[in-house]
PDB file of all heavy atoms in Angstrom:
ATOM      1  N   HIS A 717      10.614   4.920  10.085  1.00 98.00           N
ATOM      2  CA  HIS A 717       9.814   4.866   8.840  1.00 98.00           C
ATOM      3  C   HIS A 717       8.555   5.691   8.985  1.00 98.00           C
ATOM      4  O   HIS A 717       8.134   6.389   8.038  1.00 98.00           O
ATOM      5  CB  HIS A 717       9.496   3.414   8.501  1.00 98.00           C
ATOM      6  CG  HIS A 717      10.662   2.665   7.987  1.00 98.00           C
ATOM      7  ND1 HIS A 717      11.217   2.901   6.732  1.00 98.00           N
ATOM      8  CD2 HIS A 717      11.442   1.690   8.526  1.00 98.00           C
ATOM      9  CE1 HIS A 717      12.251   2.093   6.545  1.00 98.00           C
ATOM     10  NE2 HIS A 717      12.430   1.376   7.626  1.00 98.00           N
ATOM     11  N   ALA A 718       7.925   5.618  10.135  1.00 98.00           N
ATOM     12  CA  ALA A 718       6.671   6.370  10.359  1.00 98.00           C
ATOM     13  C   ALA A 718       6.963   7.859  10.237  1.00 98.00           C
ATOM     14  O   ALA A 718       6.152   8.612   9.672  1.00 98.00           O
ATOM     15  CB  ALA A 718       6.096   6.024  11.724  1.00 98.00           C
ATOM     16  N   ASP A 719       8.107   8.284  10.741  1.00 98.00           N
ATOM     17  CA  ASP A 719       8.439   9.703  10.707  1.00 98.00           C
ATOM     18  C   ASP A 719       8.731  10.211   9.293  1.00 98.00           C
ATOM     19  O   ASP A 719       8.546  11.355   9.014  1.00 98.00           O
ATOM     20  CB  ASP A 719       9.603   9.988  11.672  1.00 98.00           C
ATOM     21  CG  ASP A 719       9.515  11.399  12.206  1.00 98.00           C
ATOM     22  OD1 ASP A 719       8.491  11.728  12.808  1.00 98.00           O
ATOM     23  OD2 ASP A 719      10.484  12.191  11.975  1.00 98.00           O
ATOM     24  N   PHE A 720       9.204   9.290   8.407  1.00 98.00           N
ATOM     25  CA  PHE A 720       9.350   9.692   6.992  1.00 98.00           C
ATOM     26  C   PHE A 720       8.005  10.250   6.506  1.00 98.00           C
ATOM     27  O   PHE A 720       7.942  11.205   5.723  1.00 98.00           O
ATOM     28  CB  PHE A 720       9.704   8.508   6.086  1.00 98.00           C
ATOM     29  CG  PHE A 720      11.092   7.922   6.294  1.00 98.00           C
ATOM     30  CD1 PHE A 720      11.375   6.616   5.870  1.00 98.00           C
ATOM     31  CD2 PHE A 720      12.124   8.643   6.888  1.00 98.00           C
ATOM     32  CE1 PHE A 720      12.624   6.063   6.017  1.00 98.00           C
ATOM     33  CE2 PHE A 720      13.383   8.077   7.052  1.00 98.00           C
ATOM     34  CZ  PHE A 720      13.631   6.794   6.621  1.00 98.00           C
ATOM     35  N   VAL A 721       6.925   9.581   6.902  1.00 98.00           N
ATOM     36  CA  VAL A 721       5.596   9.979   6.427  1.00 98.00           C
ATOM     37  C   VAL A 721       5.183  11.295   7.102  1.00 98.00           C
ATOM     38  O   VAL A 721       4.733  12.235   6.451  1.00 98.00           O
ATOM     39  CB  VAL A 721       4.558   8.873   6.664  1.00 98.00           C
ATOM     40  CG1 VAL A 721       3.200   9.267   6.156  1.00 98.00           C
ATOM     41  CG2 VAL A 721       5.003   7.563   6.035  1.00 98.00           C
ATOM     42  N   GLU A 722       5.411  11.385   8.425  1.00 98.00           N
ATOM     43  CA  GLU A 722       5.092  12.632   9.147  1.00 98.00           C
ATOM     44  C   GLU A 722       5.797  13.827   8.510  1.00 98.00           C
ATOM     45  O   GLU A 722       5.154  14.861   8.231  1.00 98.00           O
ATOM     46  CB  GLU A 722       5.533  12.476  10.632  1.00 98.00           C
ATOM     47  CG  GLU A 722       5.247  13.661  11.509  1.00 98.00           C
ATOM     48  CD  GLU A 722       3.767  13.837  11.890  1.00 98.00           C
ATOM     49  OE1 GLU A 722       2.962  12.887  11.634  1.00 98.00           O
ATOM     50  OE2 GLU A 722       3.404  14.886  12.379  1.00 98.00           O
ATOM     51  N   GLU A 723       7.084  13.670   8.184  1.00 98.00           N
ATOM     52  CA  GLU A 723       7.863  14.759   7.576  1.00 98.00           C
ATOM     53  C   GLU A 723       7.369  15.141   6.166  1.00 98.00           C
ATOM     54  O   GLU A 723       7.532  16.254   5.739  1.00 98.00           O
ATOM     55  CB  GLU A 723       9.321  14.333   7.395  1.00 98.00           C
ATOM     56  CG  GLU A 723      10.107  14.161   8.646  1.00 98.00           C
ATOM     57  CD  GLU A 723      11.538  13.642   8.374  1.00 98.00           C
ATOM     58  OE1 GLU A 723      11.713  12.903   7.371  1.00 98.00           O
ATOM     59  OE2 GLU A 723      12.407  13.939   9.162  1.00 98.00           O
ATOM     60  N   SER A 724       6.758  14.159   5.484  1.00 98.00           N
ATOM     61  CA  SER A 724       6.368  14.388   4.091  1.00 98.00           C
ATOM     62  C   SER A 724       4.979  14.976   3.961  1.00 98.00           C
ATOM     63  O   SER A 724       4.567  15.340   2.853  1.00 98.00           O
ATOM     64  CB  SER A 724       6.387  13.056   3.322  1.00 98.00           C
ATOM     65  OG  SER A 724       7.655  12.462   3.463  1.00 98.00           O
ATOM     66  N   LEU A 725       4.242  15.012   5.067  1.00 98.00           N
ATOM     67  CA  LEU A 725       2.841  15.467   4.970  1.00 98.00           C
ATOM     68  C   LEU A 725       2.737  17.007   5.146  1.00 98.00           C
ATOM     69  O   LEU A 725       2.613  17.473   6.268  1.00 98.00           O
ATOM     70  CB  LEU A 725       1.980  14.762   6.011  1.00 98.00           C
ATOM     71  CG  LEU A 725       1.476  13.379   5.637  1.00 98.00           C
ATOM     72  CD1 LEU A 725       0.929  12.633   6.856  1.00 98.00           C
ATOM     73  CD2 LEU A 725       0.426  13.437   4.546  1.00 98.00           C
ATOM     74  N   SER A 726       2.817  17.723   3.985  1.00 98.00           N
ATOM     75  CA  SER A 726       2.656  19.166   4.116  1.00 98.00           C
ATOM     76  C   SER A 726       1.332  19.621   3.499  1.00 98.00           C
ATOM     77  O   SER A 726       1.017  20.785   3.472  1.00 98.00           O
ATOM     78  CB  SER A 726       3.811  19.875   3.379  1.00 98.00           C
ATOM     79  OG  SER A 726       3.880  19.392   2.058  1.00 98.00           O
ATOM     80  N   ALA A 727       0.542  18.642   3.015  1.00 98.00           N
ATOM     81  CA  ALA A 727      -0.779  18.948   2.480  1.00 98.00           C
ATOM     82  C   ALA A 727      -1.723  17.839   2.978  1.00 98.00           C
ATOM     83  O   ALA A 727      -1.303  17.029   3.817  1.00 98.00           O
ATOM     84  CB  ALA A 727      -0.738  18.971   0.955  1.00 98.00           C
ATOM     85  N   ALA A 728      -2.905  17.764   2.446  1.00 98.00           N
ATOM     86  CA  ALA A 728      -3.867  16.765   2.921  1.00 98.00           C
ATOM     87  C   ALA A 728      -3.332  15.349   2.672  1.00 98.00           C
ATOM     88  O   ALA A 728      -3.530  14.425   3.462  1.00 98.00           O
ATOM     89  CB  ALA A 728      -5.212  16.941   2.210  1.00 98.00           C
ATOM     90  N   PHE A 729      -2.660  15.179   1.520  1.00 98.00           N
ATOM     91  CA  PHE A 729      -2.102  13.839   1.165  1.00 98.00           C
ATOM     92  C   PHE A 729      -0.625  14.021   0.822  1.00 98.00           C
ATOM     93  O   PHE A 729      -0.121  15.135   0.722  1.00 98.00           O
ATOM     94  CB  PHE A 729      -2.906  13.243   0.014  1.00 98.00           C
ATOM     95  CG  PHE A 729      -4.335  13.009   0.426  1.00 98.00           C
ATOM     96  CD1 PHE A 729      -5.347  13.913   0.085  1.00 98.00           C
ATOM     97  CD2 PHE A 729      -4.707  11.907   1.195  1.00 98.00           C
ATOM     98  CE1 PHE A 729      -6.646  13.728   0.531  1.00 98.00           C
ATOM     99  CE2 PHE A 729      -6.008  11.720   1.625  1.00 98.00           C
ATOM    100  CZ  PHE A 729      -6.985  12.627   1.275  1.00 98.00           C
ATOM    101  N   LEU A 730       0.064  12.906   0.578  1.00 98.00           N
ATOM    102  CA  LEU A 730       1.518  12.995   0.392  1.00 98.00           C
ATOM    103  C   LEU A 730       1.931  13.779  -0.836  1.00 98.00           C
ATOM    104  O   LEU A 730       2.950  14.434  -0.841  1.00 98.00           O
ATOM    105  CB  LEU A 730       2.111  11.560   0.327  1.00 98.00           C
ATOM    106  CG  LEU A 730       2.154  10.853   1.696  1.00 98.00           C
ATOM    107  CD1 LEU A 730       2.418   9.379   1.525  1.00 98.00           C
ATOM    108  CD2 LEU A 730       3.199  11.475   2.598  1.00 98.00           C
ATOM    109  N   SER A 731       1.078  13.736  -1.913  1.00 96.00           N
ATOM    110  CA  SER A 731       1.456  14.471  -3.123  1.00 96.00           C
ATOM    111  C   SER A 731       0.584  15.686  -3.350  1.00 96.00           C
ATOM    112  O   SER A 731       0.532  16.188  -4.457  1.00 96.00           O
ATOM    113  CB  SER A 731       1.365  13.554  -4.349  1.00 96.00           C
ATOM    114  OG  SER A 731       1.887  12.305  -4.095  1.00 96.00           O
ATOM    115  N   GLY A 732      -0.148  16.141  -2.363  1.00 97.00           N
ATOM    116  CA  GLY A 732      -0.992  17.328  -2.558  1.00 97.00           C
ATOM    117  C   GLY A 732      -2.378  17.131  -1.957  1.00 97.00           C
ATOM    118  O   GLY A 732      -2.547  16.430  -0.973  1.00 97.00           O
ATOM    119  N   GLU A 733      -3.385  17.691  -2.646  1.00 98.00           N
ATOM    120  CA  GLU A 733      -4.732  17.673  -2.076  1.00 98.00           C
ATOM    121  C   GLU A 733      -5.551  16.434  -2.484  1.00 98.00           C
ATOM    122  O   GLU A 733      -6.673  16.321  -2.041  1.00 98.00           O
ATOM    123  CB  GLU A 733      -5.472  18.955  -2.457  1.00 98.00           C
ATOM    124  CG  GLU A 733      -4.841  20.240  -1.859  1.00 98.00           C
ATOM    125  CD  GLU A 733      -4.594  20.134  -0.306  1.00 98.00           C
ATOM    126  OE1 GLU A 733      -5.450  19.606   0.394  1.00 98.00           O
ATOM    127  OE2 GLU A 733      -3.500  20.589   0.116  1.00 98.00           O
ATOM    128  N   ALA A 734      -4.974  15.564  -3.307  1.00 98.00           N
ATOM    129  CA  ALA A 734      -5.742  14.366  -3.702  1.00 98.00           C
ATOM    130  C   ALA A 734      -4.906  13.107  -3.343  1.00 98.00           C
ATOM    131  O   ALA A 734      -3.690  13.159  -3.367  1.00 98.00           O
ATOM    132  CB  ALA A 734      -5.992  14.365  -5.210  1.00 98.00           C
ATOM    133  N   PRO A 735      -5.592  12.032  -2.994  1.00 98.00           N
ATOM    134  CA  PRO A 735      -4.832  10.784  -2.638  1.00 98.00           C
ATOM    135  C   PRO A 735      -4.233  10.152  -3.873  1.00 98.00           C
ATOM    136  O   PRO A 735      -4.830  10.168  -4.949  1.00 98.00           O
ATOM    137  CB  PRO A 735      -5.932   9.886  -2.049  1.00 98.00           C
ATOM    138  CG  PRO A 735      -7.181  10.329  -2.741  1.00 98.00           C
ATOM    139  CD  PRO A 735      -7.072  11.795  -2.993  1.00 98.00           C
TER     140      PRO A 735
END
Side-chain angles (χ1 to χ4, degrees):
H717 286 289
D719 209 56
F720 291 159
V721 182
E722 181 74 12
E723 290 175 331
S724 305
L725 277 167
S726 55
F729 297 99
L730 286 167
S731 317
E733 295 309 319

